[in-house]
Amino acid sequence: MVALQLDELLSALDTRRNGHATFASQAAPAAEGKKKEAKVVKEKPKWGEPGAAKAAKEVKAKAPNATAVIPVTPEGEMKDMTLPMEATYNPKAVESAWSSWWQKKRFFTPDAKAAKGTAESQRFIMVIPPPNVTGSLHIGHTLMVGIEDALTRWHRMCGRTTLWLPGTDHAGIATQSVVERLLYKQENLTRHDLGREKFLEKVWDWKHKHGNRIVHQMNRIAASPDWTRERFTMDAMLNKAVVEAFVRFHEQGLIYRDNRLVNWSPHLRTALSDLEVDHEDIPGTTLLSIPGYDGKVEVGVLCEFKYPIKGSKEHLVVATTRLETMLGDVAVAVHPEDDRYKAFVGKELEHPFFPDRKMVVVADTMVDREFGTGCVKITPAHDVNDFKCGQRNGLEMISVFSEDGSINGNGGPFAGQHRFEGRKAVEEALKQKGLWVQKKSHAMRLGLCSRSKDIVEPFLKPQWWMNCKELAEKSVKAVKEGDLAIIPEFHQNTWFHWLENIQEWCISRQLWWGHRIPAYKVVKPAQEKELWFSGRSYDEAKAQAQAKLGTNDVELVQDEDVLDTWFSSGLFPFSVFGWPDIEGNDDFEAFFPTTLLETGHDILFFWVARMVMMSIGLTGQLPFKTVYLHALVRDAHGRKMSKSLGNVIDPLEVIDGITLPELHKKLEEGNLPAKEVEKAKRGQSADYPDGIPECGADALRFGLLAYTQQGRNVNLDINRVVGYRHFCNKVWNATRFGLRYFGDDYTFSGSLRLDMPFAWEDKWILSRLSQCAAKTNQAWEKYEFANTTTATYSFFLYELCDVYLELLKPRFYADHYDQADEAEKKRIEEDRIVARDVLYICLDWSMRLMHPLLPYLTEELYQRLPPSPTKRESITVASYPTAVYGWVNDVVEKEMEVVSEVAKQIRSEKASLGLSPAARPKTYLRHLDLHWRECLTKLSERISRMALSGEVKVLAEGEHAPKGTLRSVVNAECLVFIEVGGVDLHAELAKLQKKVVSAQKMVKSYEDKMAAPGYEDKVPASVREMNTQKHEAAQIELKELQKAVANIEQAMAGTGRLEKRPGAAVTASRACSGVARPCAPAMSLRP
């Protein structure tokens, strides 16, 4: 026999780098052996599709069924696959036990020694963006994990050395805030009451008890990282890397200490990174509540007051949104080309509360002449632009705030007041002095601390800074020269913008939880100016100080501050592999640099750029070759996820299901204000009136990956995920149905031979299967995840289930077998052998093609497939199918397109006539092309089965269709004639005409609504949109009903005959070229 050159057997038996294949010997449960055709369980209508409203009423969302019995599998053990396959798909049962078994079998743990020296094309290494240790799984994490896990599984199945390394971030501010709140709530203590060491013990205790929650949740969505290599950014190994990085950069002069402005959170008393500041647009006068202040803070106003010119009666009017900062004013700036104020440049001003302070008018191009009065008050210690202006003009920098946000001693008569009490007091004092002008509403952007919601203040404080300019230039060059790819490419502009305009990075934070800065200040001998030394230890820093100062009598004290969390995160791609200890380090040698970094586009600069810069600076290499940035998840209406809107989606609520009252209860137990709770409840009631049905992790993953083609944002509609839950049900039922065709003793040989007597549908399905494999592999390579879901979904549902499985039934349940002679029986049996082998290939390949998308379901079903020499112990390490070009058959695919179009038209006409699904009317076909007449004759039985019709007869050229048939046009060269004898056409016509009248009323009712006076202004946009959609749907329904009336009237009038008409000379192949998929023999559910 001639073996197929590119056969599945050859690729599956190819030795994998990580060891030889472990073949499974477990056979599928015994088939029942019945000759009667098995019925696939019907699915309920999809949500969001026709019939959805009815389905929603019948199938209310509910929490997991407490009465469902799921067999208990000991932790780490494999499920008992000898148990009967359940009749219906139960995601909770299917998704149980697999993760712990995969981990125990170490399917996800590569051997570093064996991996050393692996060619770049044969390795896939990726580190997870470490989620905060305080965090819980949210929908954004789920998309991230879904993408990363799918890629990892695909590369693993392709036989590559694969490592996906997990970890969590210590999240300095977030974690310290959580523990401080608990400490105060439970023990009425502050961290200062405990002291640094005792407080840090409390934090570590909290981390060990609660810090792994997100790790456990990742297991719920089938994440397959190497958990044996899990890292935490405060681990000793990673702390060593942080200390080394700081010392090296400090020695190079890139890290330095300076007194500069930082984002300051008075409530938390720490500096913040830009990412930790939320910028809120304030439309005008607004009252805000902030932590630590009893009253309301007035924002969104512009205050104007006068500064008198010394020695004259003239004055300058300035405007500010932060009136209290005028206590630190040292100048007023005007534009040097502003003729209104040229004469005032250089003159002295009088500060109303500090008459002895030197204040001058300076000329500076930073001033916008068109804004306000064209005069800008300058407070160098409390505004970023003023700080730069102060440096340019040599102005004094007077800080008037304390770390807690109160006014300090430099505030004169206002000292000791909360800064916002001071704001009110300054206004009153200016009024008393006759210097107040006015206060007016003013739109502005306000920076709020993302953790505490306090108003962020620019604050002058000595901090550690890092100069990233040179490293940024190298990072830009890496992208421009193609050494680092950023996908999608449009994000490159953001990369260039940030790095080409990079500012110094404030890397110190006033916290206790985090990597304490390895810098030591000399306290003995006393120094006029602070003197700092960095070191990998106290002794190393002291030795440097002794050498510098020329004395051994030196005492140092370590900086109390810690490093910005992003500093340690920036080292993550190499610190996790043991850097800087790289000598004899198998992990570092085998796995660094990594292959891919996948994350959300919102942290492209804050994290990704810093990893690239720090890797270049410390290892001389890029940390990865490619950056893939996924979209951000929003709700179905495109709104940002917000607790106050009630649209925040907990993935576990989608996986397990939740009722609307339970959703409301979670809001009530949260920390939202009462008014916002009610608002959020209304949002939940509108979006999830019946709660969220149990979907399972597989459906959620599949749905999120299907959304990835949307670009910058994903507008997630949970109803679509529910639709993919139905798809999982279809995969379960169809596989269960297909397994019945295999007997007790069936074993797949491992390959299909070219000389096997394939039936027409076998050739077609193998061709489509090969095309599906080609599309999915191409999509994985290009990070086109939506194309992988489309290709696998379409193949399994529309081609395998809807067509091939239906066409298989007559071959396995041949009615004439008992009456056949021996030769015919032998032919039938040989045909069944071929059908089983092709079916096995289809099911086996389908499971493996879909495994990165539906890991739990495909493992469960793969384990139930009959044995084969190519079958692995687990689908996670089975080979990923690749295209077999010897299976591709364009001729058969074209024939299927024509057959499908004919069958589709027959089904459509049956529906138009109101015939019951069980009706099997005889059908006649007329085609102008001889070739297609012969082809359709040959395939008439297949057409009959696909169209759910009776006998299909192809009319000879010139042959008239029998009377009593309804004519319908398939295309320019093909007609179908359906027998309508025995059908009471008068009764059917009367029914349809009543429906037409009803549909016309429905259309008119919407037209009247939409034409009502004030409709566009008074009716909410969401309601108008819904009315428009319903109006369009009603119009479509009306047209279909009118078409059905016309068809019946035509049938009652007699039959017609196809004649060539001018302009109708279109070939059948061209006429059918637009058919996207074969005609389905049964209505299919799809999201």
Side-chain angles (χ1 to χ4, degrees):
M1 302 292 183
V2 180
L4 190 60
Q5 186 176 5
L6 296 176
D7 205 299
E8 167 73 356
L9 178 62
L10 298 179
S11 61
L13 291 179
D14 191 31
T15 305
R16 295 171 62 88
R17 184 171 299 278
N18 290 335
H20 297 288
T22 304
F23 300 127
S25 58
Q26 180 62 52
E32 297 177 356
K34 295 183 180 179
K35 298 282 182 171
K36 186 178 178 180
E37 176 177 318
K39 290 182 68 177
V40 178
V41 177
K42 297 286 186 181
E43 296 182 81
K44 296 181 176 66
K46 298 194 311 297
W47 288 41
E49 297 288 335
K54 182 178 178 181
K57 292 178 181 177
E58 295 174 352
V59 189
K60 298 287 186 183
K62 58 178 183 294
N65 185 357
T67 62
V69 179
I70 300 174
V72 177
T73 302
E75 183 76 12
E77 297 301 313
M78 184 180 175
K79 281 185 184 180
D80 184 357
M81 288 290 101
T82 64
L83 296 174
M85 190 172 176
E86 293 295 328
T88 56
Y89 170 63
N90 179 351
K92 188 170 291 296
V94 168
E95 295 172 4
S96 66
W98 289 121
S99 285
S100 62
W101 178 65
W102 289 333
Q103 291 170 35
K104 183 179 180 181
K105 299 296 291 187
R106 298 176 70 86
F107 292 135
F108 312 145
T109 304
D111 184 336
K113 289 185 182 296
K116 288 194 295 186
T118 301
E120 188 64 32
S121 62
Q122 292 303 308
R123 64 194 291 273
F124 178 76
I125 315 299
M126 178 173 61
V127 298
I128 194 172
N132 287 351
V133 71
T134 56
S136 60
L137 199 69
H138 60 64
I139 206 71
H141 284 139
T142 312
L143 175 62
M144 177 194 78
V145 172
I147 290 173
E148 294 179 14
D149 183 68
L151 280 169
T152 302
R153 289 178 183 273
W154 175 67
H155 282 285
R156 187 184 294 123
M157 294 176 76
C158 289
R160 299 184 179 102
T161 295
T162 304
L163 171 63
W164 180 26
L165 191 145
T168 48
D169 190 277
H170 65 278
I173 293 178
T175 306
Q176 180 165 314
S177 297
V178 167
V179 177
E180 282 194 87
R181 285 197 299 268
L182 285 174
L183 182 64
Y184 190 79
K185 181 178 180 180
Q186 296 173 358
E187 303 180 40
N188 199 30
L189 295 173
T190 69
R191 62 183 166 115
H192 301 285
D193 294 329
L194 287 182
R196 185 172 192 136
E197 297 306 317
K198 291 290 185 182
F199 176 74
L200 289 179
E201 289 177 8
K202 291 279 188 182
V203 181
W204 277 109
D205 287 343
W206 180 92
K207 189 269 176 186
H208 293 315
K209 291 177 182 177
H210 307 288
N212 291 324
R213 181 186 177 196
I214 201 164
V215 171
H216 299 310
Q217 291 175 319
M218 283 176 64
N219 278 319
R220 288 292 311 275
I221 50 177
S224 66
D226 179 5
W227 291 110
T228 68
R229 287 183 167 91
E230 181 187 354
R231 304 288 186 248
F232 176 53
T233 54
M234 286 285 284
D235 287 344
M237 183 173 75
L238 277 69
N239 177 256
K240 183 176 183 179
V242 169
V243 171
E244 182 69 25
F246 184 96
V247 172
R248 287 195 192 184
F249 285 141
H250 187 236
E251 290 173 347
Q252 295 169 18
L254 295 180
I255 287 180
Y256 59 94
R257 189 168 175 84
D258 196 9
N259 190 28
R260 306 178 66 171
L261 286 180
V262 296
N263 296 317
W264 187 260
S265 171
H267 185 70
L268 297 178
R269 301 191 190 187
T270 183
L272 303 173
S273 70
D274 290 340
L275 189 64
E276 293 160 334
V277 178
D278 294 333
H279 293 281
E280 186 172 324
D281 289 318
I282 307 296
T285 306
T286 305
L287 295 178
L288 286 184
S289 295
I290 64 168
Y293 182 63
D294 294 334
K296 297 276 189 178
V297 179
E298 184 181 46
V299 295
V301 293
L302 193 65
C303 300
E304 294 182 2
F305 65 94
K306 304 171 187 176
Y307 269 124
I309 305 292
K310 274 190 177 181
S312 76
K313 294 183 179 180
E314 295 180 291
H315 61 263
L316 296 180
V317 176
V318 296
T320 179
T321 58
R322 300 163 63 219
L323 183 61
E324 65 280 7
T325 64
M326 65 84 63
L327 299 174
D329 284 358
V330 295
V332 169
V334 296
H335 196 281
E337 297 177 2
D338 193 335
D339 293 334
R340 293 174 296 175
Y341 304 114
K342 280 184 178 180
F344 294 101
V345 174
K347 290 190 175 183
E348 288 193 33
L349 301 166
E350 182 177 332
H351 196 292
F353 306 120
F354 308 100
D356 296 333
R357 179 182 297 174
K358 184 178 180 181
M359 281 192 70
V360 295
V361 180
V362 298
D364 199 295
T365 55
M366 67 167 272
V367 177
D368 180 359
R369 286 175 284 183
E370 306 303 320
F371 179 77
T373 63
C375 299
V376 178
K377 59 183 282 297
I378 301 299
T379 320
H382 292 288
D383 182 90
V384 174
N385 292 322
D386 293 4
F387 179 81
K388 294 176 182 178
C389 178
Q391 288 182 316
R392 287 192 295 269
N393 293 278
L395 301 175
E396 184 181 4
M397 300 196 181
I398 302 174
S399 178
V400 297
F401 293 159
S402 300
E403 290 187 356
D404 63 358
S406 63
I407 297 174
N408 64 22
N410 292 328
F414 307 97
Q417 297 182 18
H418 190 285
R419 65 192 187 282
F420 294 124
E421 282 299 316
R423 176 179 292 186
K424 298 175 185 177
V426 168
E427 180 181 338
E428 288 303 315
L430 287 170
K431 288 178 180 178
Q432 290 175 12
K433 291 178 178 288
L435 297 175
W436 181 257
V437 177
Q438 66 173 335
K439 178 167 61 178
K440 57 186 178 182
S441 181
H442 174 70
M444 62 179 290
R445 295 200 83 200
L446 188 66
L448 300 175
C449 172
S450 62
R451 299 294 174 188
S452 68
K453 300 308 176 186
D454 192 9
I455 294 175
V456 173
E457 299 289 348
F459 192 69
L460 193 62
K461 188 173 178 64
Q463 299 282 290
W464 291 97
W465 298 82
M466 182 168 174
N467 184 339
C468 303
K469 185 173 177 57
E470 183 180 346
L471 296 176
E473 290 172 352
K474 292 180 179 180
S475 301
V476 168
K477 183 179 178 182
V479 173
K480 287 186 174 180
E481 295 186 353
D483 297 323
L484 176 64
I486 297 178
I487 302 172
E489 288 188 1
F490 60 77
H491 289 298
Q492 289 184 9
N493 291 333
T494 304
W495 182 266
F496 297 142
H497 171 75
W498 277 105
L499 292 179
E500 289 172 352
N501 297 279
I502 197 164
Q503 304 295 314
E504 280 78 3
W505 173 18
C506 177
I507 59 174
S508 48
R509 296 290 180 270
Q510 290 62 51
L511 303 170
W512 287 355
W513 174 245
H515 295 278
R516 191 169 177 181
I517 294 174
Y520 303 82
K521 183 173 70 173
V522 176
V523 293
K524 183 182 178 181
Q527 304 293 311
E528 290 184 10
K529 188 177 181 180
E530 286 187 348
L531 186 60
W532 293 82
F533 294 90
S534 65
R536 295 163 184 83
S537 65
Y538 176 87
D539 290 339
E540 182 178 284
K542 185 176 181 180
Q544 293 181 49
Q546 290 170 335
K548 176 79 173 178
L549 298 174
T551 176
N552 290 333
D553 190 15
V554 172
E555 287 184 14
L556 308 176
V557 61
Q558 187 176 358
D559 195 333
E560 291 283 330
D561 292 349
V562 300
L563 286 162
D564 179 10
T565 300
W566 294 107
F567 190 92
S568 54
S569 298
L571 309 175
F572 201 71
F574 47 97
S575 64
V576 295
F577 298 121
W579 183 91
D581 299 327
I582 60 176
E583 294 298 325
N585 183 333
D586 292 334
D587 269 22
F588 189 86
E589 187 176 342
F591 304 131
F592 185 81
T594 64
T595 309
L596 175 73
L597 188 282
E598 193 284 331
T599 190
H601 66 74
D602 55 327
I603 56 173
L604 176 62
F605 173 73
F606 298 105
W607 185 47
V608 182
R610 284 168 178 163
M611 283 189 288
V612 173
M613 290 189 293
M614 297 181 86
S615 181
I616 290 173
L618 295 169
T619 73
Q621 301 181 78
L622 290 169
F624 27 73
K625 301 296 183 185
T626 303
V627 176
Y628 176 81
L629 301 168
H630 66 248
L632 301 184
V633 182
R634 296 179 178 271
D635 71 7
H637 311 291
R639 300 174 303 180
K640 185 177 179 180
M641 297 291 185
S642 166
K643 290 181 181 179
S644 63
L645 292 175
N647 62 353
V648 172
I649 301 171
D650 180 345
L652 297 185
E653 295 169 354
V654 182
I655 292 172
D656 297 329
I658 188 169
T659 64
L660 183 60
E662 288 170 335
L663 284 170
H664 288 345
K665 185 178 180 181
K666 290 184 71 172
L667 284 175
E668 293 165 356
E669 294 173 348
N671 56 5
L672 282 178
K675 288 184 178 179
E676 292 195 5
V677 167
E678 293 307 311
K679 177 182 175 183
K681 282 183 177 181
R682 290 194 296 272
Q684 289 180 338
S685 298
D687 288 340
Y688 318 117
D690 300 305
I692 301 174
E694 179 188 40
C695 296
D698 282 328
L700 178 58
R701 286 171 53 120
F702 200 96
L704 287 172
L705 289 168
Y707 267 112
T708 53
Q709 63 186 0
Q710 290 192 13
R712 291 181 181 271
N713 295 313
V714 166
N715 294 344
L716 179 63
D717 184 354
I718 291 299
N719 288 340
R720 186 169 171 184
V721 177
V722 175
Y724 288 118
R725 158 67 170 81
H726 292 307
F727 173 64
C728 291
N729 187 59
K730 186 73 172 181
V731 173
W732 178 270
N733 286 339
T735 304
R736 179 171 175 266
F737 175 72
L739 288 173
R740 296 178 180 181
Y741 288 138
F742 304 113
D744 294 346
D745 301 325
Y746 177 81
T747 297
F748 180 62
S749 64
S751 65
L752 295 177
R753 303 184 314 276
L754 279 175
D755 61 348
M756 294 178 75
F758 295 117
W760 177 79
E761 57 268 21
D762 296 335
K763 297 175 184 177
W764 172 76
I765 198 65
L766 290 174
S767 183
R768 297 306 302 152
L769 182 57
S770 181
Q771 302 277 22
C772 179
K775 288 178 182 177
T776 51
N777 279 288
Q778 183 182 53
W780 288 122
E781 289 167 1
K782 294 183 177 181
Y783 305 101
E784 295 171 346
F785 308 111
N787 289 347
T788 66
T789 61
T790 299
T792 53
Y793 181 98
S794 297
F795 172 79
F796 195 90
L797 191 59
Y798 300 139
E799 297 171 344
L800 180 61
C801 295
D802 286 355
V803 178
Y804 186 69
L805 288 181
E806 291 298 321
L807 294 179
L808 275 187
K809 290 177 181 178
R811 297 167 68 183
F812 284 107
Y813 303 119
D815 295 334
H816 66 289
Y817 181 84
D818 293 336
Q819 291 75 37
D821 57 27
E822 291 304 314
E824 177 63 9
K825 286 182 178 180
K826 182 178 180 182
R827 186 202 65 76
I828 293 173
E829 290 167 359
E830 289 177 348
D831 180 63
R832 288 175 176 171
I833 291 173
V834 173
R836 285 191 182 94
D837 284 354
V838 173
L839 177 59
Y840 182 92
I841 284 286
C842 289
L843 293 177
D844 174 48
W845 274 42
S846 293
M847 295 307 112
R848 288 187 282 144
L849 286 170
M850 292 189 292
H851 177 66
L853 307 169
L854 304 169
Y856 288 130
L857 177 60
T858 52
E859 179 74 273
E860 182 93 9
L861 296 176
Y862 180 82
Q863 295 294 343
R864 293 187 177 276
L865 292 178
S868 162
T870 62
K871 191 175 181 184
R872 300 293 299 272
E873 181 180 6
S874 167
I875 195 172
T876 62
V877 290
S879 61
Y880 199 81
T882 56
V884 177
Y885 295 105
W887 291 352
V888 177
N889 194 320
D890 293 336
V891 173
V892 170
E893 288 202 37
K894 183 59 65 178
E895 290 174 347
M896 176 59 87
E897 288 180 0
V898 175
V899 166
S900 177
E901 191 176 20
V902 171
K904 179 181 178 181
Q905 189 61 36
I906 296 171
R907 287 167 52 80
S908 176
E909 292 308 319
K910 277 185 59 182
S912 293
L913 287 168
L915 299 179
S916 71
R920 295 292 184 270
K922 188 173 181 179
T923 304
Y924 301 86
L925 304 181
R926 171 174 290 139
H927 207 290
L928 295 178
D929 188 283
L930 175 61
H931 165 74
W932 288 110
R933 285 201 297 273
E934 293 174 348
C935 179
L936 294 173
T937 300
K938 177 185 70 174
L939 300 174
S940 60
E941 291 186 6
R942 272 97 172 177
I943 296 172
S944 172
R945 186 154 195 90
M946 291 170 63
L948 298 179
S949 69
E951 179 189 353
V952 173
K953 179 182 178 182
V954 180
L955 300 174
E957 185 175 5
E959 182 179 0
H960 290 275
K963 292 184 178 180
T965 59
L966 170 66
R967 184 188 73 172
S968 181
V969 178
V970 178
N971 56 51
E973 295 195 337
C974 184
L975 291 178
V976 299
F977 301 86
I978 300 176
E979 280 192 352
V980 292
V983 178
D984 187 345
L985 296 180
H986 289 284
E988 293 298 328
L989 181 60
K991 289 179 187 177
L992 286 172
Q993 287 172 334
K994 287 183 180 179
K995 290 182 179 180
V996 166
V997 172
S998 177
Q1000 288 171 332
K1001 291 179 180 178
M1002 181 64 71
V1003 169
K1004 189 174 186 307
S1005 70
Y1006 282 112
E1007 290 174 347
D1008 291 343
K1009 274 184 187 178
M1010 296 161 70
Y1015 178 79
E1016 293 294 330
D1017 300 326
K1018 298 178 181 178
V1019 179
S1022 58
V1023 176
R1024 296 201 309 270
E1025 181 182 357
M1026 181 178 63
N1027 287 341
T1028 299
Q1029 292 173 352
K1030 289 183 177 181
H1031 177 241
E1032 290 172 354
Q1035 286 180 313
I1036 292 171
E1037 182 181 1
L1038 176 59
K1039 288 178 182 178
E1040 291 299 319
L1041 288 169
Q1042 290 171 334
K1043 178 184 173 184
V1045 168
N1047 285 342
I1048 292 183
E1049 288 175 342
Q1050 177 191 1
M1052 293 169 68
T1055 62
R1057 177 176 178 179
L1058 179 67
E1059 296 177 357
K1060 283 195 175 180
R1061 304 178 305 281
V1066 182
T1067 64
S1069 60
R1070 282 185 63 197
C1072 297
S1073 62
V1075 178
R1077 63 175 186 268
C1079 170
M1083 293 299 289
S1084 303
L1085 294 172
R1086 49 190 178 276

